[in-house]
Amino acid sequence: MSDTVQRPAAPSTANCTPEQYDALYERSVQDPDGFWLEQAKERLDWYTAPTKGAEWSYDPVDIKWFSDGTLNICYNAVDRHLDTHGDQIALIFEPDSPDAPGRSLTYRQLHKEVTRVANALKAMGVRKGDRVTLYMPMIVEGALTMLACARIGAIHSVVFGGFSPEALAGRIMACESRFVVCADQGLRGSKTVPLKANVDAALAMQGVSVDGVLVFDHTGGEIEMVDGRDHWFADFASDDECPCEEMNAEDPLFILYTSGSTGTPKGVLHTTGGYALWAATTFHYTFDYQPGDIFWCSADIGWVTGHTYVTYGPLINAGTSLIFEGVPNYPDHGRFWDVIDKHKVNLFYTAPTAIRALMREGDSFVTSRNLSSLRVLGTVGEPINPEAWRWYYEVVGKKNCPIVDTWWQTETGGHMITTLPYAHDMKPGSAGKPFFGIQPLLVDNDGNTLEGATEGNLCITHSWPGQARTVYGDHDRFEQAYFSTYPGRYFTGDGCRRDEDGYYWITGRVDDVINVSGHRMGTAEVESALVLHPKVAEAAVVGYPHDIKGQGIYCYVTLNAGEEGSDELYSELRQHVRKEIGPIATPDHLQFTDGLPKTRSGKIMRRILRKIAENDYGSLGDTSTLADPSLVDRLIEGRQNR
Ligand code: 6R9
């Protein structure tokens, strides 16, 4: 049926052979507590080692791991390596422009810098349990600030630097954050990103106010500083002493906002011990991390991938993590490959959308580079089409590098389903096998368990250490969103096929979430942004297949009485969404319509809207229940394809 690509022979150093995978997986599901308590002691340093494993229930939802253990994740990522790895490079910074100076920090320097940032935060008044919002470019100071928060027990909430001031303000308010950390500006593809100006705009909005803003000088661009509120990092006295706060394993570590089917983004909350263990263990096994390896994850720290695999996973393992501020196509489409050659990257982790975009530019950008340092290649964020997989494997990896297609989510903390480099054969397009302790379950729409080779909705049964614990400030919403569709199970929102070899193939979201260039976007968020416009009466947003982005954003819009759709309004609405959410939410297509297809009870029939956006009219299904069946023809006629 599907072709299989053989795994490379396991080198003697391999972290996991096929036999070890089978034995460890078996043990991890037979005796989860024993297995994870053992891993917890092996991979982390504790002030008080835990004796309790999982204490969990999905009905009602209450999840704890290692609840009698205490530790500090910053200590685990930094301090404990000083004696053994003090002079090893911890972070490498590669700037946007290849001509600008880069930077690298040894573990000793990292320790010093993190301590300085932690002391600056304390001087601003940040205390254990406080929320601190980060709005940073991809520079080492982002990772430093995450670690500094963790060091003093503050909860970080990183907001992607591409989000608008409106989106930033919403996330500051939602977790009642009293502190913001930003840089003056960021740089992407030679363009500046006005981060501090966006913070100023966000803080000028009604209901938003903070006690302090910490600003890093990155570009030296012109910005305004508000007296008493804004502080340059450089103005704080450098003080190298700052003890790590002893945290309970279940103390909150971070909040990260992510899109769901309904409403505003949810503040997914992760706690300290379980998350640290999940980051450490998955990084070790999935990438077959070996001491001395240079690891590069191209994700922004504004996403969970950046949290777990730019900052925490590599550093807890005493690895070297590369932070790249730029973009894949500046100054040309060979930039990624230049970065790999320059820093001799061994383990590279990126998204299918980047692979597809680079593949389109032809092989010469890759073949003109050396890339012989590469050993393992990873992908994340969305299903990878077999064609892009082949290109990554053959052209980038020269058939020498196993590919790990890692399926996971903000809510899962780290990898959940992935092949391991020397333990599993690969199937292009399949994420592969469950990670240790992960028990996937496929169910039909009524929640019935499906056995064997089958396709259904992907749930996870037993809890795992890296699992999110709640939605910050709204536990009901957490229960509602993930545990109510199929009671007693964690429902991922993804559809999935399991083949006869037990390999999992993620088919995409089955809810109203779309995946644009690997970024999760709730259709409801785009709809709310559209209806904020004074001329818009109603909006329905769906995803449709897009060659590069995976999915594009297609909006159906009805206007208020007396308003007419026009080219100007078309552009205005696209700009409007951009402003409300950020450039990643810019609609690809917008169709003005005199109505939306609704059932007689008033429910929008998105299935029909999706089919029309996909240009697939043959299978519209039953339209007889529509309040106005003739609308469908008008919608098809007005389909946008600009
Ligand atoms: C890590 C991350 C999660 C959603 C997830 C799924 C999609 C992620 C994937 C994948 C197929 C993979 N997804 N990895 N689909 N294959 N290897 O991306 O987190 O931003 O929360 O998105 O992304 O649909 O449900 P997040």
Side-chain angles (χ1 to χ4, degrees):
M1 187 191 62
S2 60
D3 46 359
T4 299
V5 177
Q6 223 190 326
R7 64 177 184 271
S12 61
T13 53
N15 291 342
C16 193
T17 62
E19 298 70 35
Q20 286 168 331
Y21 171 81
D22 290 343
L24 287 173
Y25 182 75
E26 194 53 27
R27 165 97 207 283
S28 73
V29 297
Q30 293 305 329
D31 175 20
D33 284 356
F35 180 84
W36 289 116
L37 281 166
E38 228 168 80
Q39 294 287 327
K41 274 167 218 161
E42 182 184 329
R43 300 192 185 283
L44 299 173
D45 281 14
W46 300 79
Y47 299 112
T48 306
T51 64
K52 293 184 180 168
E55 298 157 89
W56 67 288
S57 150
Y58 283 172
D59 186 15
V61 180
D62 185 16
I63 304 160
K64 292 195 200 84
W65 280 86
F66 316 125
S67 70
D68 60 348
T70 63
L71 77 168
N72 184 287
I73 194 170
C74 178
Y75 178 84
N76 276 277
V78 184
D79 302 54
R80 68 162 169 164
H81 305 316
L82 290 178
D83 286 345
T84 45
H85 299 80
D87 296 322
Q88 186 199 303
I89 303 294
L91 295 176
I92 298 172
F93 172 61
E94 175 62 31
D96 179 53
S97 159
D99 304 324
R103 182 181 175 200
S104 61
L105 268 72
T106 63
Y107 272 93
R108 210 176 307 288
Q109 291 166 325
L110 174 67
H111 176 257
K112 198 171 158 181
E113 295 285 316
V114 167
T115 304
R116 277 190 67 196
V117 179
N119 279 323
L121 292 172
K122 276 201 206 162
M124 279 187 0
V126 179
R127 297 288 174 262
K128 183 174 175 176
D130 284 345
R131 276 79 58 215
V132 178
T133 302
L134 277 64
Y135 188 64
M136 297 287 288
M138 274 301 283
I139 59 179
V140 294
E141 287 78 358
L144 293 178
T145 308
M146 293 166 73
L147 293 164
C149 287
R151 189 172 191 86
I152 62 174
I155 304 167
H156 56 73
S157 163
V158 186
V159 177
F160 172 56
F163 278 126
S164 66
E166 281 79 359
L168 173 62
R171 286 159 173 79
I172 292 172
M173 282 193 286
C175 67
E176 295 168 332
S177 167
R178 286 163 38 236
F179 304 94
V180 176
V181 182
C182 67
D184 47 3
Q185 296 175 325
L187 287 169
R188 283 175 64 77
S190 84
K191 293 194 195 73
T192 53
V193 185
L195 295 166
K196 175 61 167 66
N198 286 352
V199 169
D200 292 340
L203 296 182
M205 287 172 200
Q206 210 183 355
V208 197
S209 96
V210 298
D211 295 347
V213 179
L214 182 65
V215 187
F216 287 99
D217 175 4
H218 175 47
T219 63
E222 205 48 29
I223 58 164
E224 279 170 29
M225 295 291 279
V226 174
D227 254 2
R229 186 195 75 182
D230 302 350
H231 311 273
W232 287 107
F233 172 64
D235 289 346
F236 286 94
S238 50
D239 178 353
D240 297 348
E241 289 291 312
C242 176
C244 291
E245 199 65 46
E246 181 172 342
M247 307 296 285
N248 182 274
E250 282 302 331
D251 279 338
L253 174 65
F254 69 84
I255 298 166
L256 186 55
Y257 287 88
T258 190
S259 301
S261 314
T262 53
T264 52
K266 292 190 277 283
V268 168
L269 183 103
H270 282 281
T271 56
T272 307
Y275 173 82
L277 183 61
W278 203 248
T281 313
T282 52
F283 180 79
H284 172 84
Y285 282 109
T286 302
F287 300 111
D288 187 61
Y289 172 73
Q290 300 294 328
D293 276 344
I294 311 287
F295 176 79
W296 178 21
C297 164
S298 73
D300 194 283
I301 56 158
W303 310 114
V304 74
T305 306
H307 281 59
T308 309
Y309 300 108
V310 173
T311 305
Y312 291 114
L315 297 178
I316 293 173
N317 280 281
T320 300
S321 179
L322 188 147
I323 295 180
F324 174 48
E325 189 177 11
V327 294
N329 58 358
Y330 170 79
D332 68 25
H333 293 96
R335 182 72 167 123
F336 267 13
W337 322 125
D338 282 339
V339 173
I340 289 171
D341 277 352
K342 179 172 170 189
H343 298 287
K344 306 268 179 300
V345 170
N346 307 107
L347 317 171
F348 178 54
Y349 192 32
T350 194
T353 188
I355 298 168
R356 285 192 297 266
L358 293 172
M359 177 172 87
R360 195 170 68 161
E361 303 301 326
D363 296 359
S364 64
F365 286 105
V366 189
T367 52
S368 55
R369 271 76 174 180
N370 181 301
L371 302 187
S372 60
S373 60
L374 289 173
R375 192 166 60 81
V376 176
L377 298 172
T379 83
V380 58
E382 56 181 311
I384 182 164
N385 47 314
E387 195 195 355
W389 193 102
R390 287 267 168 209
W391 186 81
Y392 199 32
Y393 183 69
E394 288 167 11
V395 181
V396 178
K398 320 266 187 294
K399 298 191 185 171
N400 292 321
C401 306
I403 292 190
V404 289
D405 173 356
T406 61
W407 174 83
W408 60 293
Q409 311 178 296
T410 305
E411 297 84 348
T412 72
H415 303 152
M416 297 289 279
I417 297 180
T418 177
T419 53
L420 299 182
Y422 306 108
H424 300 122
D425 290 340
M426 299 160 274
K427 300 192 187 194
S430 165
K433 296 275 200 169
F435 193 75
F436 304 132
I438 298 307
Q439 304 185 41
L441 183 78
L442 300 183
V443 300
D444 67 16
N445 290 341
D446 299 322
N448 302 308
T449 299
L450 303 166
E451 308 279 356
T454 185
E455 183 166 344
N457 303 305
L458 177 60
C459 297
I460 312 288
T461 56
H462 194 285
S463 178
W464 63 100
Q467 184 169 28
R469 303 297 194 252
T470 191
V471 165
Y472 185 80
D474 198 347
H475 195 64
D476 281 352
R477 197 168 172 209
F478 186 63
E479 291 208 4
Q480 210 43 46
Y482 306 106
F483 303 91
S484 69
T485 319
Y486 305 111
R489 283 136 198 195
Y490 168 76
F491 175 45
T492 64
D494 280 321
C496 183
R497 181 163 72 78
R498 181 172 50 220
D499 71 16
E500 56 288 351
D501 299 320
Y503 275 56
Y504 288 84
W505 302 70
I506 307 296
T507 52
R509 301 289 300 199
V510 292
D511 54 10
D512 289 321
V513 171
I514 55 181
N515 193 323
V516 184
S517 301
H519 302 317
R520 253 163 89 166
M521 184 76 49
T523 50
E525 283 167 67
V526 183
E527 287 162 7
S528 334
L530 281 166
V531 297
L532 278 179
H533 191 280
K535 293 186 180 163
V536 173
E538 215 178 3
V541 173
V542 297
Y544 70 97
H546 186 287
D547 284 349
I548 303 291
K549 298 200 262 187
Q551 281 190 299
I553 304 176
Y554 195 110
C555 312
Y556 298 87
V557 174
T558 64
L559 298 174
N560 286 324
E563 301 294 349
E564 284 275 336
S566 65
D567 282 353
E568 275 115 64
L569 187 57
Y570 188 99
S571 319
E572 197 177 309
L573 290 181
R574 291 184 78 222
Q575 275 310 316
H576 171 76
V577 175
R578 220 181 138 88
K579 181 178 156 289
E580 286 297 325
I581 305 176
I584 54 171
T586 312
D588 294 279
H589 296 299
L590 230 141
Q591 176 173 350
F592 296 115
T593 162
D594 59 313
L596 294 171
K598 291 185 185 166
T599 59
R600 287 189 190 99
S601 63
K603 209 166 166 350
I604 296 176
M605 291 184 80
R606 288 164 189 283
R607 176 175 52 82
I608 292 174
L609 293 174
R610 261 183 234 125
K611 291 286 177 198
I612 294 173
E614 283 166 16
N615 211 354
D616 178 12
Y617 312 135
S619 52
L620 283 181
D622 185 9
T623 56
S624 62
T625 54
L626 282 177
D628 172 12
S630 72
L631 178 64
V632 172
D633 291 334
R634 298 203 296 284
L635 282 167
I636 291 176
E637 215 164 285
R639 182 176 176 274
Q640 291 296 304
N641 202 2
R642 350 183 155 199

